[in-house]
Amino acid sequence: MHQTSPGVERAVAGAREHAARRGSDTVSLAHYVLALLDEEEGRPAVLLEHIGLSVPAVREQLAGIESPAAPDVSV
């Protein structure tokens, strides 16, 4: 059995939460990005800010798009 890191487990759980909040049975790639951006001092958020993007604006745009389904992950 493959063991995952706590960070991966948080990302998967967060993506599932984002999907559930939006009433989706399918976890999409956007849900994973939103979950990664939940950690405001995490690397994805810091990198977006570093290139001059607003994390809240990116979140808002991601929440409003249709994104491809993510591969099924069992953690």
Side-chain angles (χ1 to χ4, degrees):
M1 178 192 241
H2 182 71
Q3 189 138 359
T4 59
S5 71
V8 169
E9 290 177 8
R10 281 193 312 275
V12 171
R16 288 177 179 160
E17 288 176 23
H18 278 282
R21 275 189 241 141
R22 288 164 178 72
S24 175
D25 294 330
T26 304
V27 177
S28 73
L29 297 176
H31 294 138
Y32 275 98
V33 176
L34 286 165
L36 293 172
L37 293 176
D38 283 345
E39 295 186 24
E40 295 191 16
E41 298 205 10
R43 190 170 183 94
V46 170
L47 289 173
L48 286 178
E49 290 174 347
H50 181 73
I51 62 171
L53 294 176
S54 160
V55 173
V58 171
R59 281 190 191 117
E60 186 177 324
Q61 287 183 344
L62 286 170
I65 66 168
E66 286 293 322
S67 174
D72 187 34
V73 177
S74 58
V75 175

